[in-house]
C-alpha cells in the first residue's frame, strides 16, 4: 500500500464502528462508486439537495485514505451525521478493523473480474497523482499477477472476502458483471440485504440515476472536481463495460494470464464472468 493508506493506520484500526454502519468493501476498480451511490440514494435519496450535490467521497468516506491536509477518511467517517453511515474501504479482509466484525456491521463486498479490474486500474494509475505510475502495459500485467500493485493481490482479495462470507452472515458479496447485466435486480438484492423496500417507481428512478451515462454527467460522483485526478488523461468513469480487456490483452498475454489464473483461483464456487 502507499503511504496514503497507511499513514493513519492506528486510527484506522481503532475506528469506532457502530452496529448500523454499512461498510462497502472492494478491490480497487470493482464498482465501489457505483454501489456507494446506489446505497446513498437508497437511504438518503429523499433528503436535502445539499446532500445530493455534495461529493460522493464526502458522503461515503474512504476509511483508510489519509492526506493530512485535504482528506482524512477516519475523521470524515467519525463526523458523518447520518444513520446509517456508509463507509468505503479497499482493505483486504484480514486488515479490516476488528470492530466491524465485533459490532456485526453489514458489509457489501463488490467483486469484478480480474482482467477488467486490471485494465481499469491501469488507466486509473495514469490519471491519479497519488497512485504509483503503472509503467508499460506488459509489465503492469506481470505486477498484477504477482500482486505487487496497490492493495496487493486481486486473487487473495476476492478469495479472502469470499471465504469470510461462509462464516459471517452479514456480508453481501456481489459482482460488477451482475450489476451490468441487470442493475434493477441487483438493487433489489441490495434492498433485501439492508432491509429496505422500494416502490417500482423509486426503483426505476434510482436505476436510471445510477446508469453509467448519467453518472458521467454528475460532478458529485464522476470525480472531476478532485484535484488529485486528471480526468483529461482518463475519466474516472472511463468505459463502464464488461470485456474491455479484449482491447488491451494480446492473444499471448491472455493465454499466459489464463494459465496463471487457473493455478491461483481454485474454488469452483467463486466464478467470474469476463464477458456477458
Ligand atoms: S475506485 O477508485 O476503486 O473506488 O473505483 P471504483 O468506483 O471501484 O471503480 C471504477 C470503475 O467502475 C465503473 N463504474 C461503472 N460502470 C458501469 N456503470 C456505472 N454506473 C458505473 N459507475 C462506475 C467505472 O467506469 C470504472 O470502470 P472502468 O472500466 O475504468 O470504466
Amino acid at each position: 500500500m502507499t503511504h496514503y493508506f497507511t499513514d493513519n493506520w492506528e486510527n484506522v484500526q481503532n475506528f469506532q464502528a457502530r452496529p448500523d454502519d454499512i461498510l462497502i468493501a472492494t478491490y480497487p476498480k470493482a464498482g465501489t462508486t457505483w454501489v456507494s451511490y446506489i446505497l446513498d440514494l437508497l437511504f438518503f435519496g429523499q433528503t436535502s439537495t445539499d446532500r445530493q450535490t455534495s461529493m460522493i467521497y464526502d458522503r461515503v468516506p474512504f476509511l483508510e485514505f489519509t492526506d493530512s491536509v485535504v482528506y482524512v477518511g477516519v475523521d470524515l467517517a467519525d463526523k458523518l451525521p447520518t444513520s446509517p453511515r456508509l463507509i468505503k474501504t479497499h482493505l483486504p479482509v484480514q486488515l479490516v478493523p476488528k470492530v466491524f466484525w465485533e459490532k456485526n456491521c453489514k458489509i457489501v463486498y463488490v467483486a469484478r473480474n480480474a482482467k477488467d479490474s486490471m485494465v481499469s486500474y491501469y488507466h486509473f494509475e495514469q490519471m491519479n497523482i497519488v497512485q504509483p505510475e503503472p509503467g508499460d502495459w506488459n509489465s503492469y500485467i506481470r505486477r498484477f499477477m504477482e500482486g505487487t500493485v496497490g492493495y496487493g493481490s486481486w486473487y487473495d482479495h476476492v478469495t479472502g472476502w469470499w471465504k469470510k462470507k461462509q462464516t459471517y452472515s452479514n456480508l453481501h458479496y456481489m459482482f460488477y458483471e451482475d450489476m451490468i447485466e441487470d442493475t434493477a435486480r441487483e438493487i433489489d438484492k441490495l434492498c433485501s440485504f439492508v432491509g429496505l423496500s422500494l416502490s417500482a417507481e423509486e426503483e426505476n428512478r434510482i436505476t436510471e440515476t445510477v446508469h453509467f451515462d448519467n453518472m458521467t454527467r454528475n460532478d458529485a460522483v464522476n470525480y472531476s472536481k478532485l484535484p488529485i485526478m486528471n480526468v483529461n488523461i482518463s475519466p474516472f468513469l472511463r468505459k463502464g463495460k464488461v470485456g474491455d480487456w479484449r482491447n488491451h490483452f494480446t492473444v499471448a498475454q491472455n493465454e499466459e494470464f489464463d494459465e496463471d489464473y487457473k493455478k491461483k483461483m481454485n474454488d469452483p464456487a467463486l466464478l467470474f464472468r469476463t464477458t456477458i
Side-chain angles (χ1 to χ4, degrees):
M1 286 199 271
T2 71
H3 72 90
Y4 291 101
F5 308 128
T6 54
D7 275 354
N8 204 17
W9 195 246
E10 218 167 294
N11 289 333
V12 170
Q13 289 302 317
N14 291 328
F15 177 68
Q16 292 304 302
R18 298 179 196 147
D20 64 342
D21 286 343
I22 299 179
L23 189 66
I24 302 156
T26 70
Y27 189 79
K29 314 321 292 176
T32 332
T33 313
W34 195 3
V35 170
S36 299
Y37 189 35
I38 291 170
L39 284 168
D40 185 72
L41 289 171
L42 286 174
F43 281 104
F44 311 114
Q46 311 293 343
T47 54
S48 69
T49 45
D50 275 3
R51 183 170 180 91
Q52 299 315 315
T53 51
S54 79
M55 298 296 145
I56 192 71
Y57 37 85
D58 293 328
R59 291 190 234 175
V60 182
F62 184 179
L63 186 66
E64 65 272 18
F65 191 93
T66 304
D67 174 311
S68 52
V69 183
V70 292
Y71 193 101
V72 180
V74 169
D75 294 351
L76 272 174
D78 271 338
K79 285 187 210 128
L80 272 186
T82 58
S83 173
R85 301 185 297 187
L86 304 173
I87 299 168
K88 157 183 168 173
T89 185
H90 288 313
L91 290 172
V93 70
Q94 71 277 14
L95 297 183
V96 168
K98 285 192 190 63
V99 67
F100 284 100
W101 314 118
E102 288 163 1
K103 303 275 179 188
N104 200 31
C105 295
K106 286 197 165 65
I107 303 184
V108 175
Y109 185 79
V110 194
R112 185 182 193 182
N113 82 72
K115 291 177 189 174
D116 284 325
S117 294
M118 191 196 329
V119 167
S120 182
Y121 213 171
Y122 175 70
H123 289 283
F124 183 66
E125 295 206 331
Q126 290 170 350
M127 61 81 85
N128 184 338
I129 60 169
V130 309
Q131 293 285 131
E133 278 297 311
D136 68 88
W137 170 241
N138 204 44
S139 61
Y140 193 72
I141 297 183
R142 199 150 302 279
R143 286 204 294 122
F144 187 93
M145 282 162 44
E146 285 164 358
T148 49
V149 289
Y151 288 100
S153 160
W154 174 92
Y155 312 86
D156 292 347
H157 207 284
V158 298
T159 307
W161 277 97
W162 181 257
K163 286 195 182 131
K164 187 73 185 181
K165 186 175 90 85
Q166 319 311 321
T167 54
Y168 186 79
S169 59
N170 254 354
L171 173 55
H172 179 60
Y173 197 105
M174 56 192 296
F175 294 91
Y176 177 91
E177 293 74 26
D178 292 345
M179 296 269 298
I180 291 280
E181 183 177 67
D182 191 340
T183 310
R185 180 191 64 205
E186 296 306 309
I187 291 178
D188 272 347
K189 289 190 202 162
L190 261 178
C191 282
S192 308
F193 177 65
V194 298
L196 294 175
S197 69
L198 283 185
S199 66
E201 193 189 348
E202 282 168 326
E203 184 179 284
N204 286 342
R205 190 177 46 78
I206 292 182
T207 307
E208 188 55 28
T209 308
V210 303
H211 188 276
F212 182 80
D213 297 340
N214 291 327
M215 282 182 63
T216 55
R217 286 192 285 267
N218 180 347
D219 285 350
V221 296
N222 66 15
Y223 280 81
S224 60
K225 303 288 177 212
L226 195 63
I228 59 168
M229 296 194 191
N230 185 345
V231 292
N232 294 321
I233 294 177
S234 176
F236 180 85
L237 293 155
R238 194 184 53 91
K239 285 205 177 166
K241 295 238 177 312
V242 180
D244 185 42
W245 61 271
R246 289 185 187 284
N247 298 316
H248 292 75
F249 283 71
T250 64
V251 172
Q253 285 168 344
N254 193 38
E255 281 171 7
E256 191 187 339
F257 187 87
D258 285 348
E259 199 54 41
D260 179 69
Y261 188 92
K262 272 186 236 145
K263 289 183 202 142
K264 290 184 173 131
M265 297 292 287
N266 42 29
D267 183 338
L270 180 55
L271 292 176
F272 285 87
R273 293 189 286 170
T274 52
T275 51
I276 54 170

